Each structure stands twice: as C-alpha cells, then as structure tokens.
Amino acid sequence: MQVFLQTVVGGVSLGAVYALVALGFSLVYRTMGLVNFAHGNVVTVGAYLASTFYLSSRLPFALAMAVAIGLTGAIGLIIERVLRPLENRDFDLMLIGTIGFGIVLDALIIMIWGATGRAVPSPVPSAPLDVFGLRIRTYDLVVLAIAAIATVLLVLFLSRTKTGAAMQAVAMDHEAATAVGIHVGRSNAVAFMIGAGLAALAGGLVGPLLYVSPALGGTLGIKGFAAAILGGFGSIPGAIAGGLAIGILDSFTAGHFQGYSELVTFLIFTVIIMVRPTGVFGERTVNRA
Amino acid sequence: MIHRRATAVTAAVASLVLAAGCSAPGGGDESSGDDSGPIKIALVDAQSGQLSSLGAWELKGARLAVDEWNARGGINGRQIALDVFDDQGDPTIGTNLARKIDSEGYLAMIGTAESAVTIAMAPILEQAEIPNITSGQSPGLVATGSDFLFLNGPTSTTYDETLAEHIVDRQGTRNIAMITNNGGYGKGEHDAFLEALRKRDVTPVADQVVTTDQKDFSAVLTGIRQKNPQVIFLGAEEVESGLIVKQARDLGITATFAGAAPQGTPVFIDTAGADNAEGTIVSSPYLSNDISDASKTFAAAYKATFNEDAELHGAKAYDGTQILLTALKTSNVATGRELADAIRATRYAGLLGDFAFDQTGVGIFATSVGVIRDGKLVAATS
C-alpha cells in the first residue's frame, strides 16, 4: 500500500508539470486549430531563463519565474507574428513553421547557454513532510499549488474577460468573429503569448525537480503533447486530467515494467486513444484548416 | 537526341557509382593519403541532447591535445585539423556520420563518449579501416571484435570489479541493491557489476532497471527502501544518477551510493546536491586533478583555455588524442591498418595510467576508488 501511495505522490508532481505543458498546447490549438510543435523548445527556453535569473542574477525564485514568463511570452508573440501571414492561407506551412521555430530555439539555447545543462537547487530547502510513512517533498506541494492557481486564472481569463471571450469566439468561428469586429490576429497572438507563458511556468517549475539542459523540452514536450491528446486536445480540464494521468501512469509503469515502462506507458496511451479518439474530455475535433 | 544524351549521362553516373561501390574497403579515402595540407581527424560526440555534457568535455580534452601538437608545429610540418560532428547521442546519426567521415577522407576518429553510438559505428569504421579511439566503456565495445576500435579508458568490467572488491571484500558489505538503466552504458554496468557480485557469492537484494528517459523513481526507490540495503549501486549516466540520489534522500533512504565514472562528476554532484551525494563511492581511473604532476599540468592548461575545472572525460579524451597523434607521428602519418597497428604498439604514460593496448583494443586495466567528500571526489582512505 505504501509503495502504491508513494508512487501516486511521485507521479502527481511531474503530472502537474505535464498538465501545464498540455495547457499551452491546448490553448493554441483551441484558438487557432494549430499544433505548436515549438512548444517543447519554448519550455526549455523558459527553464533556462528562470534558472539564469534565479542562479546568476540571484533574483528570488518567484521574481525570476515572473521575468522568465514575461520574456518567454514575448517569444510566443514573435512566433505568432512571423506565422500570421500564413493564417487561413497555408496551414501545413504554419505547422512546418512551428517545427522550424523549434529548431531555431534549440540552436539559440545551445549558442547562449552551451550544450551542458545546470542543476537548480530547490527554492524551498525544507525537509520532506512525513505523512504516515509517506514522504512528500515540500517543493512538490509548491508545484501543485502554482499549477492549480495558473489553471484557475486561465479559466477565469477565458470565461470572464472580454479578450478571453473573444478568443473563444475566434476558436468557434473565426469568420463570424471577424465580422463582429474581433481582431483574429490579436486573439491568436494572446493565445500564443499565454501558451508560451505556461511553457515558461512549466519549465521554470520543473528545473529544481529535474535538470535544465537542452534536452529538457524534448521529454516534457512529448509527455505534454500526449497529455493534451489523452485529455482531449483543446480541452482545458482535459489537459489537466491528461497531465496528471500521464504522470501517474508513468510512475506506475516504471515500478512494474522497469526498463519497458516507456513502451507500456505509450501502449496504454494508444489503447485509450483507439477506444476514444477525441480523448477523455474531447467532444469534437477543432479543425480550422 | 536529348533523351539519348540523358541516357548516356545516367549510364556514366551509374558506372561511377558502381565502381565506387566495388572498390576495396578503405580505398575510397585517397585524400587521406595526401601528404600535404592538414591531417584530418574527426571528433564525433553528442554536442546537443541529454548526453551533450559528455561530448563537450570530450571535445575540450581532444582540442587541448591537438592545440598542443599544432603549437609545436604539428606532425611532419603538417597542422592537425580536428573537425567536430554532432551525433546527438543517437546511434542512427552516428552511423550516418561514420559514412560521412569515411567519404570525406578523415584518417581517424576520436569519440564517441557513448558506447551505444560507438558500437553502431564500429562495423562501418572497421570496413573503412578508420581507427577510432572511444571514451565508451561498455564491454560491448570489445565484443565488436574490431581491430580499429580502441578504448581510452578501462571497460565497465574493470570499474566494477574494483568497486566490488572495495565494497564486498574490504568493507564486508553484502546487503547491496542495484539500479541501472537500459541504455548501452547502463546495460554494461548491470552485467559487469552483477558478475563481480556473483564471483563473491553475493546476490543483490534488489536489481531494478530504469529507462534512460525516466524522471520519477518513486516506485523503484520505495521498493528498495523496504529492503533497507547498505549500499545502492548506480549504473546510469550523471544526470539520471543525480536525480535518483536526490529522490532517494527525499524518501528517507540513507544508504551509501556507489558507481563508476559518472558518479564522480560535478554534474552528478550538482544534480544530486552535494549533501545528498556525500559519501558516494566511485571507481575511477582519474580521481582528481591533483593526483600527479601530469594531471596538475593538464588541469592548469584546461582551466586556462576553457575557464573550468578539468574532469575525467576531458582527461580520457586528452589521453586518447595524445595516443593517436603519437601513433601518427611514429608511423609517419600512416592510414588504415598501419595506423591501427601503430596505435596498438604505442606505449603512453597518460593521465589515466600507463596505456598498453591488448588485442581487444583496451589499454588500461585498473581504476582507483574515491569517495565524495564535501562536494569533491577524493581518494578513499580505506
């Protein structure tokens, strides 16, 4: 029983990070119908920026994260601006454009920070909590709390603000949205900016859990993408459920299947997707192409 | 008319391709026999991806050796050109690069630091007769049986035999758990350490295999915690090992960790956290930069050139490159089998020890035991 519960605890904190990555994927997909393949690389940029401001500039962790989110959000704006001329014209080129951006970001990361990575010490150095023999890291609780707050803020933004409502309208029917005076380009830009900000949040938070290296975004990007699909691409609750599910599934398969755990995780993922192609929370396929 | 000309051109191209394909192995690199211009050496390593820290260290070590030789006037008045190829730690990219360095006339190859990539490249380099000095340590490298593959350090068998001798024979510890990964390095470590334990009639209390991509080790570590081992053997690269140690300490595991080269690196200590890594037992042929005059000189030059502290992988690549360049000089810039024979005949007092290659391509057969104290690897006292 203890192994079972400890496995769940271990899977949940990384699951929360996968959920944040999935949220970024879903938000851009929801608004534009586009899979941003540069998203994983944006996570790495966010992780490096946060760790640089935290370790080199010696800013407090929260402030370093805020600056990193702001700067990474700006990168999201740049990506959208470059892709904008293709919007509603050539969807395939837009997809390839995001892949190209990913490669460029990867190269820039290595040029700026080098090929080797860096370890980020935990910003909350207190000892793990002991709950009936279960060990819970205090930093895991911080990650969970921040992920939860970010999700609530995102939902509130989409449902309660004018810009959020406009983005939802664009997602449903961009021509009708244009007709009522909504600026589709600006709406997409906001989606990209928030998506990149979420990527920076995930990257910054995961630094002290893992190790910041150019390869970081690769793993998180694939797991986050899988989480978004599992939950239902474009669905906000789906991204969260998918992220946590992938995190916990990963943790369990690691215990039971050892060296074959990755294979088993993706086999289970494939079976679920075969049974329910739109994902657990997905009701329809958003397709703006 | 145009059609006929096109057919003739196609036939000419096809016959050229066929002729190239039918030429003797190693015969395609005529440019390597050219005795003017720079001597072309390829360095193949991960310069991006998760294993890029290994590649970056290896590049620095090799670069230092080449710069030293070039500053002294090169070999036979020719400068040495060290060209870098990024394999991203991927065997598929590695095999493509093996063909590329063959077609572009490189005399020899330094790298890779990844056993799996080197093993994938070995048959192509053997056929092309391009000597290769690798930093990999998997016994699988020896198993390729290539006359052109040399190791610039010991194999896992040597590392883990020394480790088992220290832990079991000297310290009397028999309650040992193992965590290894399923990559080329981890598999070699798993088999070598298990064999060293088997020879001592010790059965590990846990033998857990993780994947090379795994990030969360809760399930594996909770299972091990219940077995309460005294020592946990790690057979994984530096970042993954560091994460395992960090998560183990968070779960309240107080056992001592033990491992080979990766566990002695700053990346391992930084990732695990110095407090968590304290007391880790490391089997390594290069314990510190202060062991000998040669290591002090090397470390000073390394620091002056790259502004960072030297470590094992840089030292290994430095030794390997020195051996290659010495063999090039003694063989009067020979190529192919003649160069391989010259490497095999080279006796070299290096940073890792005295190199004397046997028929399998291994040149060093001893490691020392170190311990991590206050965030640094130092020689073990007992």
Side-chain angles (χ1 to χ4, degrees):
Chain A
M1 190 61 185
Q2 199 190 23
V3 176
F4 175 84
L5 291 174
Q6 194 69 62
T7 308
V8 173
V9 170
V12 163
S13 67
L14 272 180
V17 175
Y18 296 151
L20 286 176
V21 179
L23 274 178
F25 270 119
S26 279
L27 189 67
V28 171
Y29 185 75
R30 193 183 164 91
T31 322
M32 299 175 71
L34 176 76
V35 179
N36 176 16
F37 284 110
H39 196 62
N41 311 89
V42 179
V43 172
T44 317
V45 173
Y48 265 108
L49 283 173
S51 68
T52 303
F53 289 116
Y54 178 49
L55 296 176
S56 307
S57 308
R58 308 244 167 230
L59 291 182
F61 188 71
L63 191 56
M65 287 284 291
V67 178
I69 291 168
L71 286 175
T72 316
I75 294 173
L77 285 179
I78 295 170
I79 299 178
E80 191 280 330
R81 197 72 194 86
V82 173
L83 296 178
R84 193 179 288 183
L86 298 169
E87 166 74 349
N88 300 322
R89 289 207 183 90
D90 197 327
F91 192 75
D92 294 338
L93 263 185
M94 279 182 83
L95 275 182
I96 293 166
T98 65
I99 294 171
F101 254 107
I103 294 168
V104 170
L105 287 178
D106 246 2
L108 283 175
I109 288 163
I110 292 172
M111 274 169 66
I112 296 170
W113 288 287
T116 48
R118 56 178 65 178
V120 183
S122 170
V124 276
S126 48
L129 305 175
D130 200 325
V131 186
F132 304 114
L134 277 186
R135 306 274 292 191
I136 303 170
R137 280 179 292 190
T138 37
Y139 184 68
D140 283 356
L141 296 175
V142 172
V143 172
L144 280 174
I146 294 177
I149 293 168
T151 312
V152 170
L153 287 177
L154 181 66
V155 171
L156 286 178
F157 167 77
L158 288 175
S159 57
R160 301 279 171 86
T161 66
K162 248 185 183 171
T163 318
M167 281 169 67
Q168 306 259 45
V170 171
M172 281 180 226
D173 188 337
H174 73 281
E175 278 170 3
T178 313
V180 295
I182 295 172
H183 193 305
V184 173
R186 199 173 297 149
S187 170
N188 292 343
V190 173
F192 252 98
M193 186 182 71
I194 299 176
L198 285 168
L201 183 63
L205 282 178
V206 90
L209 283 176
L210 305 177
Y211 182 80
V212 179
S213 77
L216 177 76
T219 319
L220 293 184
I222 289 171
K223 290 280 162 70
F225 187 56
I229 291 175
L230 191 63
F233 225 125
S235 157
I236 302 294
I240 295 156
L244 293 175
I246 291 276
I248 295 170
L249 180 63
D250 240 4
S251 202
F252 273 102
T253 55
H256 288 93
F257 300 98
Q258 300 204 5
Y260 300 100
S261 62
E262 200 86 344
L263 173 72
V264 176
T265 300
F266 279 98
L267 273 179
I268 294 172
F269 166 79
T270 309
V271 170
I272 296 173
I273 291 304
M274 279 167 74
V275 174
R276 197 174 160 82
T278 53
V280 179
F281 286 83
E283 289 166 5
R284 66 191 173 91
T285 308
V286 180
N287 193 352
R288 295 264 312 277
Chain B
M1 186 66 186
I2 290 170
H3 180 72
R4 194 175 297 164
R5 191 174 294 166
T7 311
V9 169
T10 310
V13 170
S15 55
L16 272 175
V17 169
L18 273 176
C22 295
S23 62
D29 40 301
E30 282 83 7
S31 56
S32 60
D34 182 7
D35 58 2
S36 62
I39 298 167
K40 289 171 69 175
I41 311 283
L43 182 135
V44 180
D45 259 313
Q47 300 299 317
S48 58
Q50 180 147 340
L51 300 165
S52 57
S53 50
L54 295 175
W57 286 325
E58 179 143 292
L59 173 59
K60 285 171 185 157
R63 172 76 63 205
L64 210 54
V66 167
D67 287 351
E68 274 179 24
W69 279 70
N70 278 338
R72 291 202 300 260
I75 299 171
N76 292 357
R78 293 168 66 187
Q79 289 285 293
I80 302 132
L82 183 73
D83 293 336
V84 185
F85 298 90
D86 180 9
D87 64 36
Q88 298 171 32
D90 183 333
T92 310
I93 298 174
T95 49
N96 283 336
L97 288 176
R99 292 192 188 94
K100 188 176 167 71
I101 63 175
D102 175 28
S103 64
E104 292 184 2
Y106 285 89
L107 265 60
M109 174 183 138
I110 303 291
T112 73
E114 249 289 272
S115 299
V117 182
T118 307
I119 290 169
M121 296 174 80
I124 301 167
L125 294 176
E126 185 180 17
Q127 195 185 22
E129 299 196 343
I130 297 175
N132 171 202
I133 301 188
T134 176
S135 277
Q137 64 184 60
S138 166
L141 294 160
V142 173
T144 62
S146 168
D147 290 342
F148 293 85
L149 184 57
F150 300 89
L151 277 70
N152 59 23
T155 63
S156 288
T157 309
T158 303
Y159 279 95
D160 294 343
E161 177 59 29
T162 310
L163 202 57
E165 193 184 295
H166 181 82
I167 296 168
V168 181
D169 301 349
R170 273 191 241 156
Q171 296 192 326
T173 309
R174 300 179 73 83
N175 185 5
I176 301 168
M178 292 173 65
I179 306 178
T180 53
N181 74 24
N182 62 353
Y185 170 76
K187 175 83 172 69
E189 285 292 301
H190 175 270
D191 295 351
F193 191 68
L194 204 57
E195 176 61 20
L197 290 184
R198 198 192 55 77
K199 272 176 26 191
R200 291 166 173 80
D201 281 331
V202 174
T203 309
V205 294
D207 179 3
Q208 298 278 349
V209 178
V210 299
T211 68
T212 49
D213 260 350
Q214 200 162 320
K215 307 287 181 219
D216 170 47
F217 305 95
S218 325
V220 166
L221 289 170
T222 311
I224 284 182
R225 184 168 68 154
Q226 291 176 335
K227 304 270 170 53
N228 201 21
Q230 284 173 275
V231 169
I232 300 173
F233 171 79
L234 292 171
E237 286 82 356
E238 28 289 280
V239 171
E240 188 166 54
S241 296
L243 290 176
I244 291 171
V245 171
K246 187 156 87 168
Q247 293 183 22
R249 296 291 185 238
D250 283 344
L251 285 175
I253 294 174
T254 53
T256 302
F257 285 90
Q263 284 71 38
T265 60
V267 170
F268 165 76
I269 298 167
D270 285 350
T271 311
D275 290 347
N276 295 335
E278 183 74 6
T280 300
I281 303 166
V282 181
S283 170
S284 172
Y286 188 81
L287 286 182
S288 89
N289 294 328
D290 303 320
I291 292 289
S292 64
D293 286 344
S295 65
K296 283 179 190 162
T297 310
F298 164 72
Y302 195 97
K303 181 87 179 169
T305 312
F306 306 114
N307 196 28
E308 63 182 80
D309 291 331
E311 51 62 70
L312 167 70
H313 296 84
K316 279 171 94 174
Y318 179 84
D319 275 353
T321 311
Q322 288 284 1
I323 291 167
L324 170 64
L325 299 178
T326 306
L328 276 166
K329 183 158 180 68
T330 53
S331 66
N332 208 16
V333 196
T335 58
R337 188 166 288 277
E338 211 184 318
L339 178 58
D341 290 342
I343 293 171
R344 192 168 287 105
T346 302
R347 298 285 171 269
Y348 176 75
L351 300 166
L352 270 70
D354 293 332
F355 281 84
F357 289 100
D358 66 4
Q359 211 46 45
T360 66
V362 181
I364 292 268
F365 299 89
T367 62
S368 308
V369 173
V371 179
I372 292 172
R373 293 260 175 262
D374 301 324
K376 291 244 178 233
L377 181 62
V378 294
T381 45
S382 65

